[in-house]
Amino acid sequence: MPMAADDIIALIRAGIPDAEVEITDLAGDGDHYAAKVVSETFRGIPRVRQHQKVYEALGGRMGGVLHALQLTTTTP
Amino acid sequence: MTDDVQARIAETVNANEVLLFMKGSPLFPQCGFSSRAVAILDHLGVEYGSVDVLQDQGIRQGIKAFSDWPTIPQLYVKGEFVGGSDIMMEMYESGELAELMKTAGVTSKAA
């Protein structure tokens, strides 16, 4: 089931309060997104952990309702 | 999920210098993300093993717990979880992935 971009942004912000989130609807179908997440909390931790923080914020939806989220994480 | 599945995953991960858990096979990837992961490894020219999670529901679910990572593909180098296709792409573009393979002493494919 597709998920609205605003819901994805809200979830990530709830889990990572300082996150700046930019979402692109890749296919225009509300199901394939790219997300760029910028947060100070990513500083000094490996990329795998950065992505895991985002997945944690998404609370298990990743891989389920959210099949296709292309993720990029960076620090400010 | 049984400990048996986790043990089997650990065994496979340790038996391959570079191992990709994917949907489909390197010749016939069944998902765009898996296809991208295969393309990256082929470009790097390293020997790698692959596991098709679509052939085994136990592995398909078990690998997510094994790595605490919700999606497939998943790349392991010398037993260490590296990441999914986005991380692979980022590391490939920055040259980090080639560097990691070199540092890890991964076998290159014979020309």
Side-chain angles (χ1 to χ4, degrees):
Chain A
M1 215 224 295
M3 221 177 134
D6 286 347
D7 294 343
I8 300 173
I9 295 174
L11 281 169
I12 297 175
R13 285 241 181 86
I16 310 171
D18 78 329
E20 274 175 47
V21 188
E22 199 184 299
I23 301 261
T24 315
D25 189 339
L26 293 174
D29 61 358
D31 203 23
H32 296 75
Y33 294 105
K36 197 178 163 196
V37 184
V38 184
S39 167
E40 188 57 46
T41 64
F42 294 150
R43 195 172 298 282
I45 65 172
R47 263 200 201 84
V48 170
R49 276 297 302 146
Q50 297 177 8
H51 284 220
Q52 272 167 339
K53 273 174 170 282
V54 177
Y55 294 153
E56 273 163 29
L58 291 170
R61 288 171 187 82
M62 191 63 198
V65 286
L66 251 184
H67 163 68
L69 179 72
Q70 202 176 305
L71 188 59
T72 315
T73 52
T74 48
T75 49
Chain B
M1 181 186 330
T2 63
D3 290 345
D4 173 56
V5 171
Q6 296 297 309
R8 264 201 297 149
I9 291 173
E11 202 176 297
T12 314
V13 163
N14 290 323
N16 290 271
E17 284 190 327
V18 181
L19 184 66
L20 185 69
F21 287 86
M22 63 179 291
K23 292 180 180 170
S25 69
L27 276 180
F28 295 103
Q30 299 289 315
C31 153
F33 296 102
S34 288
S35 174
R36 193 159 65 138
V38 164
I40 291 169
L41 291 177
D42 287 343
H43 271 286
L44 288 173
V46 292
E47 296 270 9
Y48 64 95
S50 69
V51 174
D52 179 2
V53 301
L54 298 179
Q55 303 296 324
D56 190 324
Q57 281 303 315
I59 299 275
R60 185 174 183 176
Q61 293 312 315
I63 190 64
K64 297 177 184 179
F66 185 78
S67 55
D68 188 23
W69 193 260
T71 55
I72 288 148
Q74 295 187 10
L75 176 70
Y76 291 79
V77 175
K78 292 275 170 109
E80 293 286 331
F81 176 52
V82 177
S85 65
D86 295 331
I87 288 181
M88 286 177 70
M89 183 53 97
E90 238 179 285
M91 290 180 75
Y92 173 67
E93 284 174 345
S94 68
E96 278 171 80
L97 199 53
E99 192 58 41
L100 171 70
M101 297 292 182
K102 212 198 284 175
T103 313
V106 164
T107 314
S108 294
K109 235 176 224 172

